[in-house]
Amino acid sequence: MATFAYTGRNRQGMVKKGEVAAKTRDEAMEQLRKQNIVVMSLDERAAKEGEGWKFEIGGGVTDKDLVVFTRQFATMINAGLPLIQALEILASQSENKQLRKAVGEVRTQVEGGATFADALRKHPKVFDELYVNMVHAGEVGGLLDTILGRLSKHIEKAMKLKAQIKSAMVYPAAILSVAVIVITVLMVWVIPIFAKMFAEMSGGKMGLPGPTQIVIDVSNFMQSYIIHLAIGAVLAGWGIKKYYATPKGRLAMDRMFLKLPIVGELIRKTAVAKFTRTLGTLITSGVPILDGLSITAKTAGNKVIEEAIMSARMSISGGKTIAEPLSKGEVFPKMVTHMISVGETTGALDAMLGKIADFYEDEVDQAVAALTSLLEPMMMVFLGTVVGFIVVAMYLPIFQMASAIG
């Protein structure tokens, strides 16, 4: 038997809150209906200590889960199924527990008289502002199935873009991690054995070659301060994370990221593709341009780009164009601002934004391929040089001793 916390209204319109015990959510709803309570929210209460354990299976809602849900929902609405029935079916068949719970609560709130968009807005961890505002535009315009279809395509394109960036970073990150582990093992455990052997063979009478002495000194330092170095690395990572969490720190680091060679250009192209795709989708779906720019700025992922978009929003609210403030900054290329200006002039801004997005998504594909092909040999050369230097440095004393004996 589970316990559900509810919020609802009675016949007199008064808000009532309380708890009801039931085996299932539907049974709890039925009990409240018999009490003439219109349910606004219904949540399963977590078990207290001694009442048993409640395990959450699976993590958060992934983009793939959301795409499948949105596409199926669009198909059901297009087929003429009532909204509440479609939500009930999707809630029962979803494999993701968090999504299933959220959809069940959305269905309950819609049954209680809330609009679909308002019900989605109460679950920001599952449905972001972009999703909610497009659904709202679909409800108002009577094009909910069309909007949901556009949403699923938009999320799929965003997934593809994100996967491309991750694939470009995985290989160098893996190589760098292996390099750090290999060098640490050599310095802390292997080099000391060679150092001891050299000292015993020469009896302290023969000096070591320069490269060998450097490697042994670094090894001694790492042996003495390995714990301090590990703690320092953790603290440095924590400090950078905290600094990045502040508005000033995020702005400074995002600006630095954009100025990085090769990687900075990839970040810029990704941001342009994401901005134009998102804004174009919102405008096509009937979302007001000021709301669209506000949503797009929040999902930009870079503080410098976010400020540039908000500057464009202020420009429009002051009666100017989008292209004018974007062209003054250093974020958006001239080609992009010119095409946006043409789109505004001709009244086909959404179509122009779609063309820009298509172009820059192809540019991201090429940039990722170029970055991967460049990073692979660079990382291999780096790893080979460092390990090769250590190996040669350890063999030099052996050659020196053989020469002395000869």
Side-chain angles (χ1 to χ4, degrees), residues 56-60 96-98:
E56 291 288 339
I57 301 174
N96 186 287
K97 188 170 184 180
Q98 186 178 343

Side-chain angles (χ1 to χ4, degrees), residues 48-125:
K48 294 180 181 177
E49 189 176 354
E51 291 181 350
W53 297 93
K54 181 182 177 183
F55 294 98
E56 291 288 339
I57 301 174
V61 179
T62 63
D63 290 338
K64 186 177 179 181
D65 294 327
L66 203 56
V67 166
V68 172
F69 164 78
T70 307
R71 192 185 295 118
Q72 290 177 341
F73 195 26
T75 303
M76 290 180 183
I77 297 297
N78 190 37
L81 263 70
L83 180 63
I84 292 175
Q85 186 179 350
L87 288 170
E88 186 175 359
I89 294 169
L90 290 169
S92 64
Q93 72 178 23
S94 176
E95 295 180 2
N96 186 287
K97 188 170 184 180
Q98 186 178 343
L99 180 59
R100 184 167 65 246
K101 181 181 177 182
V103 175
E105 290 174 359
V106 167
R107 188 205 68 179
T108 302
Q109 289 154 8
V110 171
E111 277 187 318
T115 65
F116 183 38
D118 287 339
L120 293 176
R121 193 171 279 113
K122 294 180 181 179
H123 303 276
K125 291 183 179 179

Side-chain angles (χ1 to χ4, degrees), residues 180-195 219-220 222-223 226:
V180 170
I181 293 169
V182 168
I183 292 168
T184 302
V185 170
L186 287 173
M187 289 296 179
V188 176
W189 285 284
V190 178
I191 301 302
I193 297 173
F194 278 90
S219 173
N220 292 334
M222 290 186 67
Q223 277 184 287
I226 185 67

Side-chain angles (χ1 to χ4, degrees), residues 12 38 51 61 70 73 81 89 105 109 115 126 157 176 193 198 208 219 230 235-236 238 255 293 306 341 379 402:
Q12 289 74 36
V38 177
E51 291 181 350
V61 179
T70 307
F73 195 26
L81 263 70
I89 294 169
E105 290 174 359
Q109 289 154 8
T115 65
V126 180
K157 288 182 180 293
L176 192 61
I193 297 173
F198 296 150
L208 294 173
S219 173
L235 290 176
W238 178 82
R255 185 173 284 117
L293 285 168
E306 181 182 334
S341 178
M379 296 302 295

